[in-house]
Amino acid sequence: MAVTIILALSLMGLVIAFYYSSSVNKIPIDMGVEDQDTKLRLAKIHSAIANGAMAFLKQEYKFMAIFMVVFAAIIAVLIDDHHTDYVNEGIYTAIAFIFGAIISIASGFIGMKIAVQGNVRTTVSANKSLSEAFNVALHSGSVMGFALVSLAGLGLLLIYLGLAAIMPAQLPTHILMEVIAGFGLGGSSIALFARVGGGIFTKAADVGADLVGKVEAGIPEDDPRNPAVIADNVGDNVGDVAGMGADLFGSCAESTCAAMVISAVAFSGMVDALLYPIVITAIGIPVSFLTMMMIKVDSEDQVAPALKKMLIVSSVIMGIVMFFVTKMLIPDTFEIGGETYTDLGVYFCFLTGLIAGLVVGLMTEYYTSHDYAPVREVAKSCETGSATNIIFGLALGYKSAVGPYLAIGLAIYIPWILAGMYGVAIASLGMLGTLAIALTIDAYGPVSDNAGGIAEMAGMPEHVRQRTDVLDAAGNTTAAIGKGFAIGAAILTSLALFAAFLTRADLLLKEKNGPEYDLLGSINLLDPLVFTGLFIGAVLPSYFSAMTMKSVGTAAYEMIEEVRRQFRTIPGLMEGKAEADHEQCVAISTKAALKEMIAPGILIMGTPLVTGFLFDIQALAGVLAGSLVAGGVMAISASNSGGAWDNAKKYIEAGNLGGKGTDIHKAAVVGDTVGDPLKDTSGPSLNILIKLSAILSLVFVPFFVQYGGILVR
């Protein structure tokens, strides 16, 4: 039954994605535009953004292809636990790894492609009505939402069925599930490059455009005279759409793999129960589609509430439906690790994660929307300059981590009581239960943002920019909610992977050292190796953030110099009589992103491999725990500080506290510029750090057990 549900609903999701994609693409990019010059400008701007995005992705995918081949070979050689004579686990894990990477690339590409097509169509639709523009932006975002979730469910099902068919029939179920974990590793590895590379690209362009254009030259944010504007718009697509898509695809695949690894022994021979984690993802497809059908927008004041309502409504429906699905697929009672659990307990694990995800999203909104006191307080701090603005913004970020961490803590404690490590994995999938909707409203943000920029650059009527600004204002809030949601999901996913890592390592060590061996009992905080590992893990997020922040700074420095050069040397540029060289700025961001993402990638992937090889499982457990706890706090803090600075600036630009052009506004722009790499690069990229370290450790457990700990044997 589970196979049928997953297959049918995943195909349904792809049909929905195709339908929304077709509805967006059939809109002419000059719909309703009478002026010929405006038509030409729209076509030229659209072409520049699309070509820039494709140029970056083409270069990035070349790098990814090389990485995939090399790392798949490493997996094939190193991962074989040698406890069976009839299968080399590494070869099959490498196959799963490549398949997961390809699906992740496809998901991000689809999202980015439709976002590029949707932004200009949102602009021309805004010329007609706010309602139509909202629908175009939302439908553009929904293509990635439904396509990604459908591909994740379909990919996991196909890799399970395929490997089950080609691997030896006598293979134990838990080994098959361990091999399938390679699928999650492939997805997360691609997310590393998409998230970090895309984040560096977009923020290098954004910082360069803001500091020279808005602060130094005093021109509007999306003024066509600014050479970095096109690069900024390209970055919104490759970073905020393709990067976010790859990140959450990784979370979905990794949480599913973790749950299946933990439950493999308990549900051996019970296919429906074994595939229950994939069913959770599949059920979210019709639930999300039903939610979209229920939400309509007719006026300006309905936009932001409609997006929030989508999250709440989809969560309520998902909570109801999953009760019956859980009762249908999970046995009344089952045993994992000597403990007996119930199907009702599993359902409440799912429900806990679902509610926690919603709570984290709403808390993020409170700290990043200018409708509430915290952001308005940050805006008011600009009255005394940039320094106080930055101080208040940092304080807000630190404070904002408390509530989400308490919610996530409950989403760990309650499921652990109800269903042990398996319960935590199910809770992480519960948080991702409405992933299609979460991705839809997240991708809606950059589409709306770009639509406003295109309206400004093309010289569209003032009412068009006013309508796109309404959409963008709501999109800024939903983007912040999406980042909070993604970070919360990453924390729970990482913990689920950590639990799967310990479960698998304990099983292999029992086979190696005897059934009396107890891995969990051997992990002692007073053990110097474990304690040292905790410290190393805790400092990893700081060093990683420093690397990504410096990468943005280095790239932005080159971008700033290029923008200044063009303003200085191109006659008539400031007067609007000459065109800027946008391609040069796109090239600078592309080169910087591809170069600067290598070192952080080596840090993330190298640390667990080196730790496990040189020391032991216990030391590696300390590293993973330290990076998980410290990385989550840093990610929430950085993301919310950046979001607050951004919306504080927009609150002032809306006419509050003096409005645009004042010293207060300039102070807000500086804070926003400082916050940009925090909220769009270093903060969200920490998701990848904590997840990728954990999934790498899980996949390479056989290698660590067989050859690891060479310095402590």
Side-chain angles (χ1 to χ4, degrees):
M1 182 180 294
V3 173
T4 303
I5 292 173
I6 297 165
L7 185 61
L9 295 184
S10 295
L11 293 175
M12 173 188 174
L14 292 176
V15 170
I16 294 170
F18 178 77
Y19 166 75
Y20 281 129
S21 176
S22 300
S23 70
V24 171
N25 282 321
K26 73 179 182 182
I27 299 172
I29 64 171
D30 56 359
M31 180 183 70
V33 178
E34 301 295 337
D35 183 68
Q36 194 63 33
D37 289 340
T38 304
K39 286 184 178 183
L40 291 174
R41 284 195 295 269
L42 281 170
K44 187 175 182 179
I45 294 165
H46 170 64
S47 176
I49 295 172
N51 292 339
M54 289 305 300
F56 171 72
L57 287 185
K58 186 176 180 181
Q59 295 299 318
E60 188 178 49
Y61 288 164
K62 286 180 182 178
F63 184 89
M64 289 178 180
I66 296 171
F67 165 79
M68 285 163 57
V69 172
V70 172
F71 205 73
I74 293 172
I75 291 172
V77 171
L78 296 184
I79 300 178
D80 183 16
D81 55 25
H82 300 289
H83 71 281
T84 57
D85 297 326
Y86 49 82
V87 62
N88 183 329
E89 197 174 331
I91 294 175
Y92 296 105
T93 305
I95 294 171
F97 168 80
I98 291 177
F99 191 55
I102 291 172
I103 296 292
S104 180
I105 288 173
S107 300
F109 178 81
I110 290 171
M112 187 282 301
K113 189 75 173 176
I114 190 62
V116 169
Q117 298 301 319
N119 52 33
V120 67
R121 289 166 170 86
T122 301
T123 303
V124 295
S125 297
N127 193 31
K128 189 174 183 182
S129 73
L130 177 69
S131 176
E132 290 205 20
F134 173 82
N135 287 333
V136 173
L138 192 68
H139 292 168
S140 299
S142 71
V143 174
M144 183 175 74
F146 286 101
L148 184 146
V149 173
S150 300
L151 288 173
L154 194 60
L156 283 161
L157 177 64
L158 291 178
I159 198 67
Y160 166 76
L161 295 175
L163 289 176
I166 65 175
M167 295 182 77
Q170 69 270 37
L171 189 74
T173 303
H174 71 271
I175 297 180
L176 176 59
M177 294 303 103
E178 291 163 7
V179 168
I180 291 175
F183 182 92
L185 176 58
S188 193
S189 299
I190 295 305
L192 164 66
F193 302 115
R195 199 43 141 161
V196 177
I200 293 171
F201 184 107
T202 185
K203 289 306 108 181
D206 200 0
V207 170
D210 281 356
L211 284 182
V212 183
K214 293 169 68 175
V215 176
E216 294 183 7
I219 60 178
E221 183 169 359
D222 295 302
D223 195 295
R225 293 172 292 177
N226 194 327
V229 162
I230 293 294
D232 186 13
N233 289 325
V234 170
D236 287 338
N237 292 292
V238 300
D240 294 342
V241 179
M244 171 66 86
D247 181 359
L248 284 170
F249 173 86
S251 291
C252 181
E254 290 158 342
S255 294
T256 304
C257 291
M260 293 170 73
V261 167
I262 294 170
S263 66
V265 175
F267 296 146
S268 179
M270 293 184 283
V271 175
D272 285 350
L274 189 65
L275 298 183
Y276 171 76
I278 310 179
V279 173
I280 294 174
T281 300
I283 292 294
I285 294 170
V287 168
S288 297
F289 183 62
L290 177 62
T291 301
M292 287 196 64
M293 294 296 97
M294 296 168 63
I295 302 299
K296 304 294 180 185
V297 166
D298 296 314
S299 61
E300 176 180 327
D301 58 353
Q302 292 178 344
V303 175
L307 295 170
K308 189 194 300 187
K309 193 183 297 182
M310 289 173 69
L311 277 177
I312 297 171
V313 170
S314 61
S315 297
V316 171
I317 298 174
M318 193 74 181
I320 295 170
V321 172
M322 282 307 301
F323 173 81
F324 300 101
V325 173
T326 305
K327 295 290 289 183
M328 182 172 59
L329 298 181
I330 298 294
D332 292 341
T333 60
F334 60 95
E335 186 177 299
I336 295 180
E339 297 289 336
T340 300
Y341 304 114
T342 67
D343 57 347
L344 197 59
V346 171
Y347 168 73
F348 281 113
C349 293
F350 166 84
L351 190 62
T352 301
L354 182 70
I355 294 172
L358 185 60
V359 169
V360 169
L362 295 178
M363 285 183 179
T364 304
E365 180 194 20
Y366 175 72
Y367 281 105
T368 57
S369 170
H370 57 58
D371 291 334
Y372 302 103
V375 171
R376 294 189 178 191
E377 187 178 39
V378 171
K380 188 169 178 58
S381 71
C382 296
E383 291 178 338
T384 48
S386 303
T388 47
N389 179 30
I390 292 171
I391 291 169
F392 271 73
L394 288 173
L396 178 147
Y398 296 145
K399 185 178 180 181
S400 70
V402 177
Y405 246 60
L406 292 176
I408 293 169
L410 288 174
I412 294 169
Y413 178 76
I414 295 173
W416 204 299
I417 295 298
L418 293 174
M421 294 179 176
Y422 181 67
V424 176
I426 295 301
S428 68
L429 285 165
M431 188 172 281
L432 293 164
T434 56
L435 181 56
I437 282 294
L439 282 167
T440 294
I441 65 173
D442 191 81
Y444 156 94
V447 170
S448 301
D449 187 7
N450 271 3
I454 291 171
E456 181 79 27
M457 287 185 282
M460 297 287 284
E462 183 63 26
H463 71 270
V464 174
R465 184 61 200 250
Q466 289 174 350
R467 288 169 179 170
T468 58
D469 281 349
V470 171
L471 301 181
D472 184 30
N476 272 327
T477 300
T478 58
I481 292 174
K483 288 182 177 68
F485 174 82
I487 293 167
I491 293 170
L492 275 184
T493 297
S494 181
L495 185 62
L497 291 168
F498 184 54
F501 160 71
L502 294 178
T503 299
R504 187 182 186 198
D506 185 58
L507 182 63
L508 293 178
L509 287 168
K510 277 181 167 60
E511 293 177 0
K512 181 179 180 180
N513 301 320
E516 71 282 353
Y517 185 85
D518 180 15
L519 173 63
L520 293 179
S522 69
I523 299 177
N524 184 351
L525 281 179
L526 297 179
D527 184 310
L529 271 179
V530 176
F531 202 70
T532 302
L534 280 170
F535 269 68
I536 294 172
V539 81
L540 271 180
S542 296
Y543 191 53
F544 176 80
S545 293
M547 295 174 77
T548 54
M549 289 285 286
K550 189 174 180 181
S551 294
V552 170
T554 301
Y557 177 84
E558 190 174 350
M559 184 69 71
I560 288 168
E561 290 299 310
E562 173 60 22
V563 175
R564 285 173 175 168
R565 182 195 69 79
Q566 292 196 32
F567 277 136
R568 187 174 61 249
T569 61
I570 298 179
L573 179 58
M574 278 299 294
E575 292 76 23
K577 298 177 180 178
E579 290 190 3
D581 184 359
H582 299 291
E583 291 183 4
Q584 183 61 28
C585 292
V586 172
I588 289 172
S589 273
T590 299
K591 180 182 176 181
L594 296 176
K595 176 185 176 183
E596 298 291 340
M597 72 182 182
I598 296 174
I602 292 174
L603 176 70
I604 293 178
M605 304 193 76
T607 300
L609 296 177
V610 171
T611 303
F613 178 63
L614 295 182
F615 300 101
D616 55 21
I617 298 292
Q618 289 84 346
L620 181 53
V623 170
L624 295 179
S627 64
L628 168 59
V629 174
V633 173
M634 285 193 65
I636 294 173
S637 173
S639 182
N640 287 351
S641 284
W645 278 317
D646 186 13
N647 281 326
K649 178 198 69 174
K650 285 183 166 53
Y651 178 71
I652 293 170
E653 288 176 344
N656 300 290
L657 301 175
K660 292 182 180 180
T662 62
D663 289 340
I664 295 175
H665 179 235
K666 289 181 179 179
V669 170
V670 172
D672 178 39
T673 305
V674 171
D676 269 337
L678 286 173
K679 72 180 175 68
D680 290 329
T681 307
S682 65
S685 294
L686 286 169
N687 298 356
I688 312 300
L689 169 69
I690 60 180
K691 290 188 300 181
L692 186 52
S693 298
I695 190 72
L696 263 174
S697 302
L698 170 61
V699 171
F700 277 84
V701 161
F703 173 72
F704 297 146
V705 171
Q706 191 76 20
Y707 303 107
I710 62 173
L711 296 184
V712 294
R713 287 178 181 171

